[in-house]
Amino acid sequence: MTAMLEPISELKLEGITKRFPGVLACDGISLQVRRGEVLALVGENGAGKTTLMNIIMGLYRPDSGSLFVNGEEVHFRTPGDAYARGIGMVHQHFMLVPNMTVAENLALGLKQLHHFMWLDIKGAARRIREVSERYELPVNPDAYIWQLSVGEQQRVELVKTLCLGARLLILDEPTSALTPQETDDLIERLQRMASELAIIFISHKLNEVKALSDRVSILRHGAVVFNGHTVNHEPAELAALMTGHEVTLPRNEGTGRPGKPLLSVKNLCVRGDRGNLVLDGLNLELRAGEILGVAGVSGNGQRELADTLAGLRAVESGEILFEGQNLANCSPRAIIDAGMGYVPEDRQTEGIVPSFSVKDNFILKDFASQQFSKLSFLRRREIDRHADQLKAGFDIRCPSTSTATGALSGGNIQKVILAREIARGPKALVAVYPTRGIDMGAQEFIHSQLLDHRRKGVGIVLISEELEEVMNLSDRIAVIYKGKILKTLPAVEATRERLGILMAGLTDTDSPPEPAASALPSAGAVHE
Amino acid sequence: MNPGVMTFNVLCLAVPFSVAILLAALGENFNQRAGVFNLGCDGIMCMGAFVGFMLPYFLKAGPMAPYGNLLGLAGALGVGAALGLLFALVTVTFGASQGIAGIGLQMLGWGLSGTLFRHFVGGVTGVEGILAMPIPWLSRIPFLGGVFFNHNPMAYVAFLLVPASWFLLYKTPWGLKVRAVGTHPRAADTMGINVVRTRYQALMLGGAMAGLAGAYLSLAQAKMFSDDLVAGRGFIAVALVYFGRWSPLGILGGALLFSIAQSFQLSMQVWGIKFPYEFAVMLPYVLVIVVLALARKARQLGPTDLGKPYNREMRF
């Protein structure tokens, strides 16, 4: 890290190939990125993007192919080697030690601060202040990581990487855990920083790619299938190249006739993890055969609402009437048996048991039913048949239904959950961030499934931060703010601007004022 | 009896009781901070007690006699570090289950020390051991002098190791690395920290301290060896680390609480209070269980990757 080499101005990859047992993760990939340039690397989950970046960082060794920095061939064995040549990476899952401060996290990597029996923690803090001022990325060096919001942690990662001397930044899906506000903020900061750095930006959100990058390369099945200048191509075109076919996210055409009332939530009050009232007199009405979108800045009670509807959180007061039956404070089992389906926010820890096979995850809610067990023995043949049917019906890509579910990609895990919930024939479905962090192909599939079941009369509560998603799918949109539904409006009347104003907590008049260029709400309502 | 005198007696006795568990728990804390819990701590203490006793015992008559105790302590540190190394090999390099490997190490240390002792010595024999060293002036302060400054030199060392291990963990580069690999080894790896090497070092240091704790029992406290000398103190040490929430100061508090309970139950027997002694003996152990069960769970500041082997190529 102390090497006095000339700063990196160009990175070139030639014919990089990497095999894992049974998979060709990278197949002769050649790429190039220069200073002052943002290269977007786009591809579906499992296309080989992250493997390629781990090769650049020296975490994996390529089977063949070469890396060149400023035209000179390099061989990285550890991330330290890559940093020594000015290449740094911000990983999708943050590489920060939560019980240490920001300065301590940086000090881990800055070997010049390591003295015998003494750690120059002030030096680390000084370095952080310098870099955070220079790039306008405010961070407090003395804060503990666990105290910071996801957006702040993202900033810490950027500052840390820059402090370590990186002049070529690799950002692996940096926005996947951010709220829309934090995403806009990050994109803006990156645009400012781009002139003096080289950036490789990995994403499958094409609007971000469009907003930030100069050039775009598309990976499919481990190979580069497209290189081009971003300005010349529309997102739809890139999406088609990425998935190998035309992608048009389906829309709710609004032809459904709203059915009888299914679920009505009355004056619901619920406490959050810190004991404060997070839902404070919330009212909600869902009819059969409609999708009710719940939009809002995260932290306004969405998680608690979903938890409560699934029976995972105690109700302080109020009612949850489901076909006339009050489900408030009922056990999850009773709620499941009443016909409520649930697609939870955190698919890895709440949606599935990661170490269980796909077929076992399919029967998590029904293992004791007549269909899957007899005299308290599992009926394996029936379980296999059921699993094969769902695997085919939901296009779940896994080697077999005996594979551990945690080893699948995010999109496929989400399909497993959705398949389980829909196969049970629910009357109502609560779906929380159903497409967060998953690629276009899977997203398209999940959206059309939701619309399909809406047509079949299922009532769906869709909680999401993606305004596009909410607006595309919903019949009505309820805006949640500080634990209350601020307003419910028909989807046809909703615009991005109008929802943005409502999400910021301003009750609009029926004719909204002229919106600002990017009228997303300020982060003022975020409690996290 | 005068309650002041009773308190004085209990406290004077509690300090020497706390030394062995304190030393072992401070060592175990390094293990756990680095992400490995070593249930074999008790077995290492047995081996430390054995080696610590054997060296001065064999050198008793020879020209090396004056250095017997020091060599005993050095031997205990060495055998502790070696067993820590063995444990690291099994759990870090081969990724074996830490719980099972720890129980194996406990049985190995306990059985081996007892067997070797019977083979080479047998019966009850003593050594002169390390003698108490009242600190001039300070030990004459009324009450406090007796409680704090009238002990074995190893007791002073153990208590000084509390701030020393705090400093090591929080103020030195090595401590930073230890805390990082115990909480988020992958992050440490991406920052160029050698996770495997750091865990080896922490386990060897922890083992050495457990060995020293054992030697305290045989050389300073009992001045003899028998195979039930350690009597499960290694497990108490592991519990103390949880109790003290991975902070040296918290561990000190736990060690004192436990040993005060221990010395209280002994004093109760001495005072002739009519209470079935079988229950009195249980008191400190019951106390540990109750306190552990009631303690507020605050994992936030602890090593969250405790117990998990690290493998760079592992995906989920």
Side-chain angles (χ1 to χ4, degrees), chain B residues 112-124:
Chain B
L112 191 64
S113 60
T115 306
L116 292 176
F117 179 74
R118 273 188 295 281
H119 181 75
F120 287 113
V121 189
V124 180

Side-chain angles (χ1 to χ4, degrees), chain A residues 47-94:
Chain A
K49 296 166 299 190
T50 302
T51 305
L52 184 67
M53 294 307 113
N54 281 333
I55 289 172
I56 298 180
M57 288 309 294
L59 279 164
Y60 297 152
R61 293 287 205 67
D63 297 331
S64 64
S66 333
L67 264 72
F68 299 88
V69 170
N70 300 346
E72 170 201 343
E73 185 164 6
V74 290
H75 301 275
F76 297 149
R77 282 183 198 83
T78 68
D81 295 344
Y83 272 107
R85 297 308 306 260
I87 303 175
M89 175 160 174
V90 174
H91 295 258
Q92 185 183 0
H93 303 287
F94 299 149

Side-chain angles (χ1 to χ4, degrees), chain B residues 31-112:
Chain B
N31 300 344
Q32 296 201 6
R33 275 294 190 168
V36 186
F37 66 97
N38 186 353
L39 281 179
C41 180
D42 199 71
I44 300 181
M45 285 176 77
C46 290
M47 285 303 289
F50 171 72
V51 172
F53 172 82
M54 287 304 277
L55 284 166
Y57 177 78
F58 277 130
L59 299 172
K60 206 152 51 174
M64 296 289 278
Y67 307 107
N69 288 335
L70 276 182
L71 287 170
L73 291 179
L77 284 169
V79 75
L83 289 173
L85 180 67
L86 173 70
F87 193 69
L89 185 72
V90 174
T91 57
V92 179
T93 303
F94 299 131
S97 153
Q98 297 175 5
I100 305 298
I103 292 170
L105 182 60
Q106 190 267 333
M107 292 196 284
L108 173 76
W110 186 31
L112 191 64

Side-chain angles (χ1 to χ4, degrees), chain A residues 27-323:
Chain A
D27 184 7
I29 294 177
S30 299
L31 285 177
Q32 198 176 1
V33 59
R34 286 189 207 86
R35 185 166 57 206
E37 185 179 60
V38 179
L39 170 71
L41 197 58
V42 177
E44 304 201 80
N45 294 322
K49 296 166 299 190
T50 302
T51 305
L52 184 67
M53 294 307 113
N54 281 333
I55 289 172
I56 298 180
M57 288 309 294
L59 279 164
Y60 297 152
R61 293 287 205 67
D63 297 331
S64 64
S66 333
L67 264 72
F68 299 88
V69 170
N70 300 346
E72 170 201 343
E73 185 164 6
V74 290
H75 301 275
F76 297 149
R77 282 183 198 83
T78 68
D81 295 344
Y83 272 107
R85 297 308 306 260
I87 303 175
M89 175 160 174
V90 174
H91 295 258
Q92 185 183 0
H93 303 287
F94 299 149
M95 291 298 157
L96 296 168
V97 184
N99 61 1
M100 303 200 319
T101 64
V102 173
E104 285 179 322
N105 268 285
L106 172 65
L108 266 180
L110 276 182
K111 292 290 183 321
Q112 66 265 35
L113 302 176
H114 294 199
H115 305 284
F116 179 71
M117 282 293 136
W118 178 61
L119 179 71
D120 184 8
I121 202 72
K122 292 224 173 75
R126 214 176 307 126
R127 187 95 186 81
I128 288 169
R129 281 198 202 92
E130 275 167 31
V131 168
S132 79
E133 266 168 40
R134 164 118 191 265
Y135 291 96
E136 295 174 50
L137 295 163
V139 299
N140 171 9
D142 301 322
Y144 279 94
I145 300 298
W146 61 267
Q147 298 172 320
L148 303 179
S149 73
V150 176
E152 288 171 310
Q153 292 189 27
Q154 176 74 263
R155 254 188 343 252
V156 172
E157 274 284 18
L158 275 175
V159 170
K160 185 184 92 177
T161 311
L162 292 167
C163 284
L164 291 172
R167 291 299 167 262
L168 184 149
L169 290 183
I170 300 171
L171 308 173
D172 189 2
E173 298 191 23
T175 61
S176 62
L178 299 187
T179 65
Q181 291 69 42
E182 288 169 332
T183 301
D184 290 353
D185 182 63
L186 178 72
I187 300 267
E188 206 185 297
R189 286 174 197 286
L190 290 175
Q191 280 164 342
R192 279 206 303 270
M193 288 157 61
S195 60
E196 37 185 319
L197 301 169
I199 295 178
I200 300 180
F201 179 76
I202 299 178
S203 182
H204 40 232
K205 296 186 184 163
L206 295 171
N207 51 346
E208 291 168 13
V209 168
K210 195 79 181 133
L212 183 61
S213 68
D214 303 304
R215 288 191 301 119
V216 55
S217 293
I218 298 180
L219 283 187
R220 198 160 74 220
H221 305 309
V224 176
V225 294
F226 173 81
N227 280 311
H229 289 275
T230 315
V231 282
N232 303 336
H233 303 277
E234 286 308 308
E237 191 187 344
L238 298 174
L241 285 161
M242 184 167 93
T243 54
H245 59 87
E246 287 289 324
V247 180
T248 37
L249 286 178
R251 297 181 64 95
N252 185 340
E253 302 302 343
T255 48
R257 283 162 285 111
K260 58 184 177 17
L262 193 59
L263 174 75
S264 95
V265 176
K266 289 182 177 155
N267 276 318
L268 189 66
C269 292
V270 170
R271 292 194 183 278
D273 294 338
R274 292 175 205 159
N276 52 333
L277 271 186
V278 177
L279 296 186
D280 188 6
L282 180 133
N283 290 292
L284 206 66
E285 184 97 14
L286 175 73
R287 292 169 170 274
E290 78 164 348
I291 295 183
L292 175 69
V294 176
V297 179
S298 82
N300 273 298
Q302 290 97 322
R303 177 187 303 160
E304 290 78 6
L305 174 63
D307 280 356
T308 313
L309 291 178
L312 300 171
R313 196 175 276 274
V315 173
E316 183 97 353
S317 66
E319 290 181 320
I320 301 172
L321 293 173
F322 187 63
E323 295 191 308

Side-chain angles (χ1 to χ4, degrees), chain B residues 218-236:
Chain B
S218 63
L219 273 183
Q221 189 165 306
K223 303 190 169 47
M224 56 159 288
F225 181 83
S226 78
D227 50 6
D228 54 1
L229 180 67
V230 173
R233 284 186 181 82
F235 293 105
I236 296 294

